[in-house]
């Protein structure tokens, strides 16, 4: 029997498969497309997920950079530039890789781990009982698995078959247009890479520029085609009956900026018009042995790029809990904490994207709101709050209120032991629970859990705690208190001790 059957070989499904394989399971991934589509979607990863990928050894694979990830000095929120250099602890990280490259990297890693990826297969039905899920495929065959996970996108078949509602709203007032283009050198700023538009002025790269008539974004990615996008709120609806062409995008740019910008197609063929966006969260993430992941569980506007940050960390949260359940050592209710921990995060992402969508809207009253908001962003505490919201650094899972670090993402600790300095990111690539102990006194406490918890001893640099118990998803389960509180945390997250 298959341990976990995952419907969808996008980034979230592949990440979950890697997590399960690291935990000793044998997942199977089904993908309805016979080959990767290569369709342009996300253009990078934003937020704390960058640190998470580093902690699985994937950051260097994606970037070629052997140094640890460094936070970004500038980002954008609601078409405002965020000056992150004013922060003493900047939590915002970015990897500028297209989604197709991310999927290829995760697929290669899954293959290394022995994951079975079957393309050209689609779930058409299933029946579950207390022990397994019997899944029907489009070719008439059936597979049996212990758990079924729907990572099959916003139009999830698994979600529909499970009878899970997807309440929310559809916004159809705006029209977004996007294309990969080439702009003449005479209209490019050689120093910043931004646009120089006669009759309007500069357009900053990798920022959203809002005008009273709409919004424009210019993204000159190094080594790949530049992307030009606009967003407008027309008085009359725009249908999707006819394909978009460059002339339509040129006209949109002229309306937004009040000036013409010359450009040509770059040959990749990306021409996309979107006339609506959805904001929805599934009313349940789990029905028995069927669970939802990523866009199957939540969709929202793409502004600010939070989607992969949310979905990939869903996968990391779910992976170890599913594995613990199948291995038989999960404490009661552990799998249910997937939803109780991750749903509030999805709700905050929805709040953030809705707020940004409001801030970029047309109208004099929005302009007045933006003037006030610009004043607030000059305060480091406001910029820090927004940076933590956008990056996911403000996530706190339910934990012991007396423990100041529990429930928060683990700091970037370096352990100085007998073998020299070791970064936390180098110790978490196996996706196993981990005790970091500078005292040498707590390791003995974990002995009954040693079949599932690893121990690293040495001086801790980067935290004031003398010991940390780190979950597989790199959130802190416990920070140094006393042996009894450590035993409580071990039992709470990693089950009963082995006999």
């Amino acid at each position: 029997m298959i341990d976990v059957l995952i419907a969808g070989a996008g980034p979230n499904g592949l990440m979950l498969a890697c997590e399960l394989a690291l935990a000793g399971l044998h997942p199977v991934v089904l993908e309805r497309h016979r080959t990767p589509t290569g369709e342009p979607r996300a253009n990078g990863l934003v937020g704390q997920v960058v640190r998470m990928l580093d902690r699985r050894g994937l950051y260097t694979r994606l970037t070629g950079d052997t140094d640890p990830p460094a936070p970004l000095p500038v980002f954008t929120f609601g078409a405002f530039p965020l000056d992150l250099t004013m922060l003493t602890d900047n939590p915002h990280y970015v990897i500028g890789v297209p989604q197709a490259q991310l999927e290829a990297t995760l697929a290669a890693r899954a293959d290394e781990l022995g994951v079975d990826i079957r393309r050209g297969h689609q779930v058409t039905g299933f029946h579950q009982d207390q022990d397994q899920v019997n899944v029907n495929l489009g070719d008439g065959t059936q597979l049996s698995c212990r758990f079924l996970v729907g990572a099959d996108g916003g139009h999830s078949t698994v979600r529909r078959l499970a009878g899970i509602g997807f309440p929310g709203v559809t916004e159809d007032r705006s029209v977004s247009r996007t294309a990969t283009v080439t702009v003449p050198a005479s209209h490019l700023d050689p120093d910043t890479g931004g646009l120089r538009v006669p009759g309007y002025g500069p357009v900053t790269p990798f920022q959203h520029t809002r005008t009273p008539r709409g919004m424009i974004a210019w993204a000159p990615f190094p080594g790949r085609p530049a992307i030009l996008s606009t967003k407008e709120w027309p008085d009359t609806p725009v249908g999707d009956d006819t394909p978009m062409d460059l002339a339509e995008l040129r006209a949109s740019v002229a309306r937004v900026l009040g000036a013409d910008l010359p450009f040509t197609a770059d040959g990749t063929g990306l021409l996309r018009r979107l006339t609506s966006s959805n904001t929805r969260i599934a009313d349940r993430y789990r029905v028995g042995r069927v669970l939802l992941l990523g866009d199957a569980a939540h969709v929202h506007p793409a502004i600010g790029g939070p989607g992969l940050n949310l979905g990939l960390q869903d996968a990391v949260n779910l992976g170890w809990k599913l594995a613990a359940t199948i291995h038989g050592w999960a404490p009661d209710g552990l799998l249910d904490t997937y939803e109780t921990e991750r749903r509030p995060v999805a709700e905050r992402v929805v709040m953030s994207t809705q707020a940004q969508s409001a801030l970029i809207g047309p109208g004099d009253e929005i302009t007045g709101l933006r003037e006030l908001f610009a004043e607030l962003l000059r305060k480091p505490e406001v910029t820090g709050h927004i940076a933590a919201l956008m990056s996911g650094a403000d996530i706190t899972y339910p934990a012991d209120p007396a423990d100041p670090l529990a429930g928060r993402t683990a700091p970037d600790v370096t352990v100085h032991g007998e073998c020299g300095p070791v970064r936390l990111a180098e110790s978490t690539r196996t996706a196993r629970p981990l005790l970091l102990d500078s005292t040498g006194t707590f390791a003995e406490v974990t002995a009954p859990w040693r079949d599932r918890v690893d121990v690293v001893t040495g001086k801790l640099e980067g935290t004031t705690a003398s010991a940390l118990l780190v979950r597989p998803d790199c959130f802190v389960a416990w920070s140094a208190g006393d042996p009894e509180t450590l035993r409580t945390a071990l039992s709470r997250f990693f089950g009963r001790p082995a006999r």
Side-chain angles (χ1 to χ4, degrees):
M1 183 186 297
I2 298 168
D3 289 328
V4 180
L5 190 63
I6 302 168
N12 301 319
L14 291 171
M15 188 71 183
L16 176 62
C18 291
E19 292 293 296
L20 294 170
L22 285 169
L25 299 183
H26 303 284
V28 172
V29 181
L30 303 179
E31 170 55 51
R32 64 186 181 91
H33 295 290
R34 295 189 177 276
T35 59
T37 64
E39 179 183 343
R41 291 182 181 177
N43 293 300
L45 297 122
V46 177
Q48 292 288 295
V49 70
V50 175
R51 296 171 70 205
M52 189 64 238
L53 292 173
D54 181 40
R55 291 168 173 181
R56 290 296 188 262
L58 295 167
Y59 176 76
T60 298
R61 293 188 182 213
L62 286 165
T63 65
D65 192 349
T66 57
D67 293 329
L72 198 70
V74 178
F75 200 64
T76 182
F77 179 86
F80 287 98
L82 280 184
D83 179 9
L84 303 174
T85 62
M86 70 173 70
L87 305 181
T88 57
D89 185 15
N90 180 1
H92 214 53
Y93 296 80
V94 171
I95 299 178
V97 297
Q99 182 167 322
Q101 180 183 342
L102 173 63
E103 289 184 10
T105 300
L106 289 172
R109 178 57 173 155
D111 185 64
E112 292 172 5
L113 294 170
V115 174
D116 185 358
I117 302 175
R118 305 178 187 179
R119 299 186 181 274
H121 295 279
Q122 186 168 9
V123 174
T124 58
F126 64 79
H127 170 75
Q128 65 170 315
D129 56 34
Q130 62 181 1
D131 298 316
Q132 64 186 45
V133 187
N134 297 314
V135 181
N136 301 320
L137 305 184
D139 61 2
T141 60
Q142 187 178 84
L143 298 173
S144 296
C145 57
R146 290 182 172 86
F147 287 93
L148 170 65
V149 177
D152 49 347
H155 299 286
S156 170
T157 298
V158 172
R159 185 187 64 235
R160 176 178 57 80
L161 293 171
I164 297 175
F166 206 35
V169 296
T170 297
E171 187 274 312
D172 56 6
R173 292 182 52 244
S174 64
V175 179
S176 299
R177 299 175 174 91
T178 302
T180 49
V181 302
T182 299
V183 174
S186 59
H187 286 69
L188 297 175
D189 187 320
D191 297 323
T192 67
L195 299 175
R196 296 188 298 195
V197 184
Y200 175 78
V203 174
T204 305
F206 302 108
Q207 295 280 330
H208 295 120
T209 299
R210 185 250 183 197
T211 75
R213 298 168 296 279
M215 187 181 72
I216 186 170
W218 167 245
F221 293 104
R224 54 191 176 105
I227 296 178
L228 183 65
S229 300
T230 63
K231 186 166 187 174
E232 298 179 86
W233 291 262
D235 294 330
T236 57
V238 176
D240 284 324
D241 299 335
T242 58
M244 191 185 90
D245 57 20
L246 280 187
E248 181 179 332
L249 181 59
R250 288 193 189 98
S252 177
V253 170
R255 289 191 297 269
V256 171
L257 296 181
D260 292 324
L261 174 69
F263 54 83
T264 57
D266 78 324
T268 63
L270 172 60
L271 285 167
R272 183 171 61 209
R273 180 201 306 118
L274 298 176
T275 57
S276 64
S277 64
N278 288 296
T279 298
R280 300 180 184 278
I281 300 179
D283 57 24
R284 291 172 290 172
Y285 282 21
R286 176 189 178 193
V287 175
R289 292 180 171 268
V290 179
L291 300 104
L292 302 180
L293 173 66
D295 288 356
H298 40 66
V299 294
H300 48 77
I303 187 167
L308 287 173
N309 189 21
L310 179 59
L312 290 174
Q313 296 211 71
D314 283 351
V316 176
N317 185 286
L318 176 59
W320 71 275
K321 296 172 181 178
L322 264 179
T325 302
I326 292 173
H327 285 314
W329 55 257
D332 291 342
L334 179 68
L335 192 53
D336 290 329
T337 66
Y338 165 58
E339 178 171 352
T340 58
E341 289 185 346
R342 294 305 297 171
R343 173 182 282 277
V345 182
E347 291 170 347
R348 284 187 65 75
V349 169
V350 165
M351 178 267 287
S352 172
T353 56
Q354 287 179 327
Q356 292 183 76
S357 297
L359 283 167
I360 65 173
D364 292 340
E365 68 278 15
I366 301 299
T367 300
L369 175 63
R370 291 181 61 84
E371 291 175 358
L372 172 60
F373 210 81
E375 293 181 11
L376 295 175
L377 287 177
R378 299 189 189 107
K379 301 178 180 292
E381 60 271 28
V382 175
T383 293
H385 184 91
I386 290 176
L389 167 66
M390 294 189 72
S391 68
D394 62 349
I395 297 172
T396 303
Y397 295 148
D400 181 356
D403 190 332
L405 297 180
R408 300 180 179 275
T409 187
D412 285 324
V413 175
T414 297
V415 182
H416 296 268
E418 294 180 355
C419 299
V422 178
R423 295 172 54 228
L424 176 66
E426 298 171 281
S427 300
T428 54
R429 293 176 183 176
T430 59
R432 283 173 58 85
L434 187 66
L435 176 71
L436 308 178
D437 184 11
S438 67
T439 69
T441 61
F442 292 110
E444 184 178 351
V445 177
T446 66
W449 288 269
R450 198 62 59 84
D451 62 320
R452 69 204 79 150
V453 179
D454 292 337
V455 176
V456 178
T457 58
K459 180 182 177 182
L460 304 186
E461 176 189 353
T463 180
T464 57
S466 57
L468 292 172
L469 181 63
V470 182
R471 304 179 350 171
D473 58 358
C474 294
F475 276 74
V476 176
W478 168 91
S479 64
D482 55 62
E484 192 54 40
T485 58
L486 175 56
R487 290 189 188 93
T488 299
L490 287 163
S491 297
R492 175 182 177 182
F493 292 103
F494 310 125
R496 294 180 180 179
R499 293 181 179 178

